[in-house]
Amino acid sequence: WLLTMKRSQAIQRVARRNRQREGAMAATAAESLGAIKTVQALSLGDTFADTFAQANNKSMKEGVQAKRLTAGLERMVDVLIAIATALVLWFGARLVLVNELTPGELLVFVFYLRRAFRPMRDFAKYTARLAKASAAGERVLELLEQEPGVQELPDAVIAPDFKGGVAFHQVTHGYEDGRAVLHDIDLVMTPGERVAITGPSGSGKSTLASLLLRLYDPQQGKVTIDGIDIRQFTLESLRARIAIVLQDSLLFATTVRDNITAGTPGISDSQIEAAARLANAHDFITSLPEGYETPIGERGVTLSNGQRQRIAIARAAIHQSPILILDEPTTGLDHANELEVAVALERLAAGRTTLLITHRPEMAARADHVVFMRHGRIAAQGTHRSLMAGNADYACLFGQTGGREMQRIGEDAHAVIS
Ligand code: ATP
């Protein structure tokens, strides 16, 4: 028993290391295959293959080590049992020789002994297996015990139909302790208002949108919709009432129709078509081989970035959400595509409270209100025209001196260039 316990700890240690390495290998494989274009473009194929092969080699050695320890344990238990049986036989034979025991009694005793030893051998065998299983179990538990950063309150209620008044009250937030990326943000958006958030890269624009979607809870302050703290609502109902279009919208490897409905049942064909028309997407969808039933993705058709964006806009349109988040939705599109997407976004935003994160002066110019952020604070706000006239940094970012490229260089470079 002592031997088994001692060995099982060693087996568990090796199995744990082995499982961790297998996790890292799976991550390398997923990362390199997921970004295969970048890997090929940067000629990183061999580097990734080497990393994987090395990890694979180590994993194999650990696997062999675990097997060796397991086999060693079973062998040692077998040897112990053999020694014990030999001792009993030797002692028993002496008793038979002095007529204190009959040969039959000795045989029966040895037979019972062997039966008693069988569970011991099994114990050694299963302890080794259990040690390996518990190392794997630890990894599963690690995952299951992850606490989501955002927790629903026990008395959270289903969000009602919002009018669309959004407000940030003294919001301070950071991803790491002691390093806030948003400081004391106060922002009020009236229902139906279109607010553009602009500012250099890293100034906290996307973080603001994440807080509204409650992907994170602010460290200080609160975000309200129609005057109610969004922490009062269940996460699902809150997010269902906010539509979103991101810079690089993710489409799923399913049909165009399912991508537009995003799996929501009970949406009629006419609603889907209306959403696609609003998104300027109906015409190109009907020209696809199977129209709305065309599969997208690896085994289906490949769409251009502009077409993907327009499907994402149709998806956002279908839910009739009163609040809309647009995070640089036209970035990376060529002029023709950008125009089509911009028209679709105009229609989508009509009547919805819209938080538009943008680097494009034309889009900011069409917003009712523009918020200019720097270093996680609201540096200035007003209309595009008033900011262009009254804020040198804003004017610099949006075209007078540095042009559109400047914000991509980031805040530090911005200061140097200025
Ligand atoms: P960009 O215009 O480049 O998209 P942004 O203004 O939207 O930038 P955010 O994405 O909000 O800026 O990032 C603000 C800061 O927070 C940056 O310093 C960034 O490194 C940091 N940050 C953003 N997301 C995370 C995260 N998930 N974990 C840790 N830090 C983060």
Side-chain angles (χ1 to χ4, degrees):
W1 180 76
L2 281 176
L3 188 78
T4 307
M5 284 299 133
K6 204 157 165 262
R7 267 297 167 107
S8 86
Q9 281 171 5
I11 295 170
Q12 198 171 359
R13 259 198 311 276
V14 176
R16 192 182 294 134
R17 246 195 338 259
N18 191 222
R19 293 282 167 269
Q20 281 165 352
R21 199 173 305 282
E22 280 171 359
M25 277 163 56
T28 312
E31 192 180 50
S32 49
L33 291 175
I36 193 73
K37 283 188 194 157
T38 313
V39 171
Q40 286 174 337
L42 298 176
S43 303
L44 288 173
D46 288 345
T47 317
F48 271 106
D50 283 350
T51 314
F52 189 83
Q54 278 170 18
N56 205 4
N57 225 355
K58 284 188 186 148
S59 166
M60 187 193 67
K61 284 187 183 146
E62 281 156 2
V64 170
Q65 199 183 351
K67 280 265 180 282
R68 191 171 285 158
L69 283 169
T70 312
L73 174 64
E74 288 176 25
R75 197 178 53 222
M76 277 199 245
V77 171
D78 281 348
V79 170
L80 275 182
I81 287 174
I83 291 171
T85 313
L87 281 175
V88 168
L89 260 181
W90 176 74
F91 190 69
R94 281 170 53 122
L95 293 181
V96 170
L97 287 178
V98 295
N99 286 330
E100 280 191 27
L101 202 69
T102 64
E105 279 170 337
L106 178 62
L107 273 179
V108 168
F109 188 81
V110 171
F111 174 72
Y112 285 151
L113 198 65
R114 285 178 66 85
R115 289 193 67 167
F117 277 146
R118 197 171 301 153
M120 281 195 204
R121 297 172 75 167
D122 289 349
F123 178 64
K125 196 159 73 191
Y126 291 119
T127 309
R129 283 192 202 168
L130 280 174
K132 282 194 223 163
S134 75
E138 276 172 19
R139 303 267 301 156
V140 175
L141 280 182
E142 253 172 50
L143 191 70
L144 291 179
E145 280 171 2
Q146 289 283 332
E147 291 273 331
V150 172
Q151 300 272 8
E152 220 166 67
L153 292 178
D155 54 353
V157 294
I158 305 237
D161 288 335
F162 294 134
K163 290 195 193 75
V166 174
F168 291 79
H169 298 276
Q170 288 284 301
V171 167
T172 294
H173 182 68
Y175 295 96
E176 295 152 28
D177 285 340
R179 204 176 79 85
V181 297
L182 287 180
H183 308 263
D184 298 328
I185 301 290
D186 272 313
L187 177 64
V188 177
M189 298 166 68
T190 53
E193 191 179 22
R194 205 180 302 185
V195 175
I197 312 283
T198 65
S201 188
S203 54
K205 305 181 295 293
S206 301
T207 306
L208 210 58
S210 304
L211 292 178
L212 178 55
L213 274 171
R214 223 185 143 209
L215 300 181
Y216 304 95
D217 279 332
Q219 288 171 341
Q220 285 167 34
K222 61 179 179 179
V223 183
T224 62
I225 298 181
D226 296 342
I228 305 169
D229 191 330
I230 56 172
R231 282 173 285 213
Q232 303 294 324
F233 304 126
T234 58
L235 287 170
E236 198 181 329
S237 67
L238 171 72
R239 290 172 189 164
R241 281 158 185 68
I242 301 177
I244 178 159
V245 181
L246 302 173
Q247 179 179 344
D248 190 11
S249 294
L250 179 75
L251 296 189
F252 301 102
T254 172
T255 60
V256 172
R257 171 192 300 275
D258 287 349
N259 265 291
I260 294 179
T261 61
T264 313
I267 295 179
S268 68
D269 286 354
S270 57
Q271 282 173 301
I272 294 173
E273 189 180 318
R277 282 187 188 280
L278 178 144
N280 243 343
H282 177 73
D283 290 346
F284 89 79
I285 293 172
T286 43
S287 69
L288 293 173
E290 294 166 60
Y292 283 88
E293 303 305 331
T294 311
I296 300 177
E298 276 171 32
R299 273 158 287 129
V301 297
T302 313
L303 300 177
S304 74
N305 284 347
Q307 289 171 331
R308 298 170 78 84
Q309 282 306 71
R310 280 182 275 155
I311 290 189
I313 293 170
R315 184 196 288 165
I318 210 134
H319 292 292
Q320 310 285 330
S321 320
I323 300 169
L324 175 65
I325 295 175
L326 305 173
D327 194 347
E328 302 188 35
T330 58
T331 307
L333 301 181
D334 61 39
H335 185 69
N337 261 319
E338 184 172 357
L339 197 68
E340 299 237 38
V341 171
V343 170
L345 287 172
E346 261 320 292
R347 290 188 200 142
L348 179 66
R352 292 183 161 100
T353 311
T354 305
L355 184 89
L356 164 70
I357 297 169
T358 185
H359 284 136
R360 313 279 297 175
E362 317 83 79
M363 295 193 84
R366 281 201 295 272
D368 302 315
H369 190 75
V370 180
V371 173
F372 179 51
M373 296 192 57
R374 286 196 70 176
H375 300 300
R377 293 179 194 277
I378 297 182
Q381 49 185 317
T383 59
H384 175 67
R385 192 187 284 256
S386 70
L387 288 175
M388 284 298 273
N391 189 295
D393 288 328
Y394 184 84
C396 175
L397 188 70
F398 273 166
Q400 282 187 351
T401 52
R404 265 171 44 203
E405 285 70 28
M406 185 171 287
Q407 70 272 7
R408 298 206 184 101
I409 305 172
E411 193 118 55
D412 295 340
H414 180 182
V416 174
I417 294 165
S418 299

